[in-house]
Amino acid sequence: MLIRSIVTLLGVALAAALGTAAYVIASATIPAALIPVSFVTGDYGLYLIAAGVLGLGIGLILLQRRNHTALRLLGALIALVSVLGAVAAFFPQSAAWREADRVGADMSVLNYLTEGLNTGGADDSLAVPYATVDGTPLLLEPMVPTDYVDRPRPAVVWVHGGGFTSGDRGQSPRWREWLRNRGYAVFSVDYRLAPPPRWDQAAADVKCAIGWIRQQARQFSIDPDRVMAAGASAGGNLALLAAYSDDRITPSCPVGDTSVSAVTAFYPPTDLAAGWRDSGDPDYTHQVLTDYLGGPPESVPDRYAAASPLTYVRPGLPPTLLLHGTRDHVVPFDQSRALTEALEGAGVPHTLQPLPYAEHGYDVAWGVWPTQISRHVFAEFLDQSFPVP
């Protein structure tokens, strides 16, 4: 009796989870509270399919004739919902595999199951100050390959995310390690966070870091003329601003050239006024943009324009790679699509890689299909636009 009760409760829990997942996959819009479910459906669909098979098995057990009629009806419901959930979970998996085939990415089930998370924290023992601005020390962490080379390395300046209000240089350690293993010197930088409003300071700090790194090229054995900016979410916005902006954004410290040779941005906000209107999590988005910019778009439109990479698009910008989940409910995929259209019109070399069904921050899961596709596309972009000599 106890075992049957446990099995029944497990079946009900599985059916509830799978039913919710099916709803999220099938719906064009979802409540903000279900965004974490959208992340799971985009990244961990294989596990949902396995859960659906388990739920179907539990339903069939409960359907046995010796059980009470009510229990058999519950079993039938669990089996039906489990099958629907598994079928729904198959669609993101199929879409990811089709996209991988389109771009020529090799997909590994072993990596999917074993590679863990792309998370970490800042290591103060490795921190190097690159500036002190208004009494605030700004730090970076260098991650330089240790193998010997007979020529300077290219460098990547990595800018962390966190909605302009949180996060630190310790984010995305797997991407930084991946870049280092490909022969790049990687510098993960901090910048001043909001509040108070930092719309005119955060990108200036990133440009300061780029200029400082170029000045210290001999110390780190890097090529000062081969620097790339990269980042995710808010960090992607700031990497694009550092790469695109003219003298309307000046470095926050006295440095020389802050230009870059290429830029890569993961799910970046590119038009902050549109982001205010279109986010699937308006409470979060409105709060962070108010903290960062000092008010809504109608109150400070000039700030929204100044903090949007779309504002600075013009011919001659560096090659750009954008990677963005098509189900991103925090920074909609249209943000990268709009920037891509502007870059196309300006004749700027660019690549937009859509990740089917992927949610904001999909690459926190290092082995899943969207991240595997991203690694392949990122590697091709590096080889073509920013290769290691």
Side-chain angles (χ1 to χ4, degrees):
M1 185 68 178
L2 177 60
I3 293 176
R4 185 169 60 184
S5 298
I6 293 173
V7 169
T8 302
L9 290 174
L10 176 60
V12 170
L14 286 171
L18 288 161
T20 303
Y23 165 75
V24 167
I25 292 168
S27 300
T29 59
I30 59 172
L34 293 181
I35 291 176
V37 179
S38 180
F39 179 90
V40 172
T41 60
D43 275 7
Y44 294 112
L46 280 187
Y47 295 98
L48 291 174
I49 293 172
V53 173
L54 178 59
L56 173 61
I58 290 173
L60 294 176
I61 290 172
L62 298 179
L63 273 168
Q64 294 179 12
R65 288 183 176 275
R66 65 173 179 269
N67 291 325
H68 189 274
T69 301
L71 196 58
R72 294 203 304 273
L73 290 174
L74 180 60
L77 180 62
I78 290 172
L80 176 62
V81 174
S82 296
V83 169
L84 292 175
V87 170
F90 175 78
F91 283 93
Q93 304 304 297
S94 175
W97 277 81
R98 288 197 304 272
E99 185 62 23
D101 182 67
R102 186 185 72 83
V103 301
D106 293 328
M107 304 279 264
S108 167
V109 175
L110 179 62
N111 290 347
Y112 181 99
L113 297 173
T114 63
E115 287 210 319
L117 298 178
N118 176 25
T119 56
D123 185 346
D124 289 339
S125 68
L126 301 176
V128 176
Y130 68 86
T132 299
V133 183
D134 294 336
T136 301
L138 300 176
L139 307 175
L140 59 78
E141 286 185 20
M143 184 181 284
V144 180
T146 57
D147 58 308
Y148 173 78
V149 290
D150 59 0
R151 66 184 69 186
R153 301 177 182 277
V156 178
V157 178
W158 187 273
V159 191
H160 70 79
F164 307 106
T165 62
S166 63
D168 59 47
R169 62 189 183 277
Q171 287 184 357
S172 304
R174 303 292 289 271
W175 277 122
R176 291 184 282 128
E177 181 182 16
W178 181 84
L179 285 162
R180 182 191 62 184
N181 290 342
R182 296 184 67 85
Y184 297 90
V186 187
F187 300 84
S188 182
V189 303
D190 281 339
Y191 51 89
R192 285 172 289 174
L193 300 173
R198 301 290 193 186
W199 62 275
D200 58 345
Q201 298 173 0
D205 290 345
V206 175
K207 294 184 81 166
C208 167
I210 292 170
W212 184 89
I213 290 165
R214 291 177 63 124
Q215 288 179 340
Q216 305 301 316
R218 180 170 296 182
Q219 174 186 347
F220 295 106
S221 298
I222 64 171
D223 183 347
D225 295 322
R226 303 201 68 241
V227 178
M228 181 176 79
S233 193
N237 166 280
L238 295 174
L240 291 167
L241 284 175
Y244 291 179
S245 63
D246 48 27
D247 56 9
R248 285 173 284 181
I249 297 179
T250 58
S252 58
C253 62
V255 292
D257 192 351
T258 63
S259 63
V260 299
S261 302
V263 59
T264 295
F266 293 77
Y267 37 90
T270 65
D271 180 345
L272 299 190
W276 176 282
R277 297 189 303 269
D278 301 336
S279 174
D281 190 355
D283 290 342
Y284 169 77
T285 299
H286 293 176
Q287 184 62 59
V288 299
L289 290 179
T290 297
D291 288 344
Y292 184 56
L293 294 141
E298 57 268 21
S299 298
V300 286
D302 55 331
R303 297 184 181 184
Y304 277 77
S308 297
L310 199 58
T311 300
Y312 303 93
V313 172
R314 62 195 183 280
L317 294 178
T320 300
L321 171 63
L322 303 171
L323 304 108
H324 212 132
T326 62
R327 284 293 181 95
D328 193 326
H329 288 87
V330 178
V331 178
F333 177 72
D334 282 348
Q335 291 272 309
S336 283
R337 182 154 49 196
L339 181 60
T340 298
E341 292 172 356
L343 294 172
E344 180 74 27
V348 177
H350 63 279
T351 299
L352 170 60
Q353 178 56 56
L355 288 313
Y357 289 90
E359 187 54 77
H360 197 73
Y362 66 85
D363 56 320
V364 167
W366 187 244
V368 298
W369 308 138
T371 308
Q372 291 193 41
I373 294 171
S374 296
R375 290 203 294 268
H376 173 83
V377 173
F378 199 178
E380 286 197 333
F381 176 78
L382 292 171
D383 290 343
Q384 295 170 7
S385 301
F386 193 68
V388 174

